Amino acid sequence: MENKKTGTKTSSNEPRYGGEHVFIWGEGYCKRALYADILYVQGSGSYSTFHFTDGTQIIVSYCLAITERSLPESSFVRVHQSFILNWHFIDTLVGNSVKIGSEWFPVGRAYQKRLQGTLHFSEISRKTRKTES
């Protein structure tokens, strides 16, 4: 494809944001998915369902353990035997649950330390300030 203003040729198959993507095989097709577009992956038996920011889903015939190996630890964290989350979208942590948008996800006991090590906690003191009267 040629840019008419600059006269340079570009490929429409180039990734939008560099190499930060994975190819996902759906039913009879292969889709390039940017890591930034994947909210979470849900496992069920020998299948994994990718859930995207635009509301679409792709089901693949791989168990969650295999799917987990294809995703970078810099963006994804396993929080349960059935869920891998893109930690950049986690907005709330309460007890043994985390929230992305309006959905809550359980955090398994075996995954709590990894999740806490992944999330960035501030050093803000919880002490209350004394007010002068």
Side-chain angles (χ1 to χ4, degrees), residues 62-86:
Y62 292 106
C63 68
L64 203 58
I66 293 173
T67 302
E68 181 178 19
R69 289 191 293 240
S70 70
L71 298 171
E73 291 181 8
S74 60
S75 294
F76 295 91
V77 61
R78 188 152 184 183
V79 297
H80 188 269
Q81 68 183 24
S82 298
F83 294 104
I84 300 170
L85 307 180
N86 185 334

Side-chain angles (χ1 to χ4, degrees), residues 36-71:
D37 291 340
I38 302 170
L39 284 174
Y40 64 95
V41 184
Q42 182 176 6
S44 179
S46 61
Y47 294 92
S48 296
T49 305
F50 285 79
H51 295 262
F52 296 93
T53 55
D54 65 1
T56 61
Q57 301 174 7
I58 295 178
I59 300 172
V60 296
S61 182
Y62 292 106
C63 68
L64 203 58
I66 293 173
T67 302
E68 181 178 19
R69 289 191 293 240
S70 70
L71 298 171

Side-chain angles (χ1 to χ4, degrees), residues 12-16 18-26 29-35 38 50 52 58-62 66-67 69-72:
S12 60
N13 291 331
E14 291 180 18
R16 288 185 288 170
E20 299 295 316
H21 64 273
V22 64
F23 282 94
I24 302 171
W25 284 97
Y29 66 94
C30 184
K31 175 183 177 178
R32 179 176 38 211
L34 299 173
Y35 296 138
I38 302 170
F50 285 79
F52 296 93
I58 295 178
I59 300 172
V60 296
S61 182
Y62 292 106
I66 293 173
T67 302
R69 289 191 293 240
S70 70
L71 298 171

